Amino acid sequence: MSRNSAPLDESAHVAWFARALQDPQRSLLIAETAYGTFAMVRFDVLVPPEWEISIVLAPEARGQGLGRSALAAAVDYFFKLHADGRVLASVKNDNTISQRLFLSQGFKESSCQNDMKTYSLIRQQR
């Protein structure tokens, strides 16, 4: 359900990942259990204080509530670093599973254009 659904070229992906790890405008978080890695959550700065979030869940981990726990932990971590940040998630209109996932974490639908919905989350300071 990603924006680009073309097959991944392994060498291009390895190069992207190496650059991503060095990019100060990007934060990659890996979620794992005792059984192994099951998700990656990525934050990319858009225009401060706005960041875009993306989550990828391993197929074998789907349907177990692990996406919800990974997203919750990632969002909590993000707001510890960026208390005044705003997180945006772009989700395809037909991806109702991801829509429900972001809504379950307090994201609100903020716009709908073409085949994408945008959800936003601002953590209120206590």
Side-chain angles (χ1 to χ4, degrees):
M1 284 293 186
S2 63
R3 283 187 192 128
N4 182 357
S5 57
L8 291 175
D9 172 69
E10 185 177 354
S11 63
H13 182 67
V14 168
W16 171 88
F17 190 67
R19 286 189 312 275
L21 291 174
Q22 300 301 316
D23 188 346
Q25 303 296 309
R26 176 173 280 158
S27 181
L28 296 177
L29 304 173
I30 305 297
E32 51 188 19
T33 67
Y35 303 105
T37 301
F38 69 89
M40 180 188 75
V41 181
R42 186 181 81 229
F43 293 93
D44 292 300
V45 70
L46 297 170
V47 176
E50 291 187 343
W51 293 68
E52 183 176 42
I53 188 172
S54 175
I55 184 169
V56 177
L57 194 64
E60 63 274 10
R62 295 177 185 158
Q64 301 175 45
L66 293 171
R68 185 169 288 158
S69 61
L71 182 60
V75 166
D76 285 345
Y77 177 79
F78 172 86
F79 282 114
K80 286 178 184 171
L81 298 176
H82 307 280
D84 64 341
R86 179 175 180 220
V87 182
L88 304 176
S90 295
V91 181
K92 287 185 176 180
N93 286 338
D94 58 350
N95 188 348
T96 56
I97 292 172
S98 288
Q99 291 170 18
R100 285 194 309 264
L101 174 64
F102 285 107
L103 290 170
S104 77
Q105 298 305 307
F107 284 75
K108 306 290 184 209
E109 185 177 336
S110 56
S111 69
C112 183
Q113 292 182 331
N114 302 321
D115 67 339
M116 301 293 282
K117 290 183 180 183
T118 300
Y119 295 85
S120 64
L121 179 65
I122 300 171
R123 183 66 47 97
Q124 300 301 320
Q125 302 228 343
R126 294 181 179 105

